[in-house]
C-alpha cells in the first residue's frame, strides 16, 4: 500500500495568503486522493490582548495593493480588503465544531469567503452561527459551544505546537508520511501548486529525491506587521 501523506496546515482566517493557498490544497486533494490527508490547524496571529491591525491603515492598504491583489488575480480569485480586523479564535472554534460534524473543510472555506469576499465580522458569535446554520449545523448548539469555550483549549494547543516547530507565520504546511524513513518537511508561505506538488510526489516516492530543497520566499502573514508578507522557509 502506498504511504499516506499528511499535510498539517496552520492558517489564520484574517490572513489573505492563507485563503489564497486554499485552492492549491484543494487541487492537490483532488489529484492525490486518498494518499493525501489535509488537517486544518489554528494559528491566531493576534490573540487577545495583542492589538489587531487598523483595517483602513496605510500598512494593510499598501500590502493589499502590492501583494494580495496581484496574487489573487494570478490565482483567479476575488478578495477584498475587509472593513474590520476581528480576532479569529471564535472562528477557529467554529471550524472545530463543524469538523466534529463532518463539515470541517466546508466551514474552513466558508469562513474565508465570509471575511474576504463578503466583509463579515468573523469575530462575532451571531455571524458565526449564521454561517454555521447556512452549512446545516445546529446554530443553537454551536452558539452554546462558542460561549462555553468548548474548543478553546484545542485552538490554543495548535498555536503552541506551531511555536514548538518554529512556525512564526502563516500559512505554514508540515508534510509527514507514514513512511518513517522519509523526513518531514516544513514549508512557509503560500506555495505555488507546482512546488507543493513536487514536495508531495517526492515524499510519496514518485521521484527519487528524498531530501528537501530550500524554497524561494513565499508570501506569508506574521504577527509583527513589518515582517508580514515575505518570509523564507
Amino acid at each position: 500500500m502506498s504511504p499516506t501523506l499528511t499535510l498539517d496546515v496552520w492558517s489564520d482566517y484574517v490572513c489573505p495568503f492563507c485563503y489564497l493557498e486554499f485552492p492549491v490544497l484543494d487541487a492537490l486533494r483532488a489529484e492525490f486522493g486518498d494518499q493525501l490527508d489535509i488537517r486544518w490547524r489554528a494559528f491566531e496571529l493576534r490573540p487577545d490582548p495583542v492589538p489587531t491591525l487598523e483595517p483602513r491603515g496605510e500598512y494593510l492598504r499598501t500590502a493589499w495593493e502590492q501583494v494580495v491583489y496581484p496574487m489573487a488575480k494570478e490565482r483567479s480569485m476575488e478578495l477584498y480588503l475587509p472593513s474590520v480586523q476581528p480576532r479569529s479564535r471564535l472562528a477557529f472554534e467554529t471550524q472545530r465544531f463543524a469538523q466534529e460534524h463532518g463539515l470541517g473543510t466546508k466551514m474552513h472555506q466558508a469562513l474565508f469567503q465570509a471575511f474576504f469576499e463578503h466583509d463579515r465580522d468573523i469575530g462575532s458569535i451571531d455571524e458565526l452561527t449564521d454561517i454555521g446554520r447556512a452549512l446545516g449545523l445546529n446554530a443553537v448548539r454551536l452558539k452554546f459551544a462558542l460561549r462555553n469555550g468548548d474548543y478553546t483549549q484545542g485552538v490554543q494547543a495548535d498555536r503552541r505546537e506551531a511555536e514548538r516547530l518554529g512556525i512564526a507565520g502563516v500559512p505554514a504546511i508540515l508534510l509527514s508520511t507514514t513512511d518513517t524513513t522519509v523526513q518531514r518537511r516544513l514549508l512557509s508561505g503560500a506555495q505555488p501548486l507546482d512546488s507543493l506538488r513536487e514536495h508531495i510526489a517526492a515524499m510519496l516516492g514518485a521521484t527519487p529525491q528524498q531530501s528537501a530543497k530550500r524554497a524561494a520566499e513565499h508570501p506569508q502573514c506574521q504577527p509583527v506587521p513589518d515582517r508580514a508578507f515575505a518570509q523564507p522557509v
Side-chain angles (χ1 to χ4, degrees), residues 3-224:
T4 297
L5 188 69
T6 298
L7 273 63
D8 285 289
V9 182
W10 276 269
S11 57
D12 193 340
Y13 294 114
V14 300
C15 171
F17 302 116
C18 295
Y19 185 27
L20 288 167
E21 190 70 354
F22 182 82
V24 170
L25 295 166
D26 201 40
L28 291 169
R29 188 204 307 272
E31 180 176 343
F32 288 93
D34 292 341
Q35 286 185 292
L36 204 62
D37 179 26
I38 299 176
R39 302 191 299 196
W40 309 116
R41 308 295 293 273
F43 189 102
E44 187 178 6
L45 285 163
R46 298 171 190 91
D48 190 37
V50 178
T52 59
L53 299 180
E54 173 57 44
R56 297 304 183 189
E58 181 180 355
Y59 168 73
L60 279 180
R61 290 202 311 271
T62 301
W64 275 71
E65 290 172 3
Q66 294 182 356
V67 187
V68 179
Y69 285 130
M71 189 172 177
K73 182 178 181 180
E74 179 183 308
R75 298 194 176 196
S76 301
M77 297 176 68
E78 289 191 15
L79 283 72
Y80 307 96
L81 176 58
S83 63
V84 295
Q85 279 291 310
R87 302 194 187 280
S88 49
R89 179 177 58 80
L90 290 175
F92 285 121
E93 294 183 21
T94 299
Q95 194 276 336
R96 291 294 181 93
F97 179 92
Q99 184 72 38
E100 287 193 354
H101 293 81
L103 295 171
T105 295
K106 287 186 176 180
M107 177 59 77
H108 188 71
Q109 182 178 21
L111 290 166
F112 278 127
Q113 290 175 330
F115 186 57
F116 288 116
E117 297 183 22
H118 306 296
D119 199 26
R120 299 180 70 173
D121 182 0
I122 58 171
S124 162
I125 287 181
D126 288 340
E127 290 281 2
L128 292 170
T129 52
D130 282 346
I131 295 169
R133 184 183 296 109
L135 291 182
L137 293 171
N138 186 309
V140 174
R141 291 182 179 177
L142 172 57
K143 182 174 289 189
F144 177 83
L146 294 177
R147 288 177 171 171
N148 198 45
D150 289 354
Y151 300 92
T152 301
Q153 289 187 359
V155 169
Q156 293 173 339
D158 271 2
R159 174 64 187 261
R160 289 193 298 271
E161 183 176 355
E163 292 173 347
R164 180 182 62 80
L165 291 168
I167 294 172
V170 287
I173 305 172
L174 178 66
L175 297 84
S176 57
T177 177
T178 51
D179 184 349
T180 57
T181 66
V182 178
Q183 187 174 5
R184 299 190 303 177
R185 303 184 183 199
L186 180 60
L187 309 177
S188 298
Q191 306 290 317
L193 176 60
D194 288 344
S195 175
L196 195 49
R197 180 189 287 119
E198 288 179 4
H199 282 285
I200 292 171
M203 292 187 69
L204 289 174
T207 68
Q209 182 180 351
Q210 295 295 331
S211 59
K213 295 185 298 183
R214 184 174 180 81
E217 291 188 358
H218 300 296
Q220 181 185 60
C221 295
Q222 293 184 332
V224 181

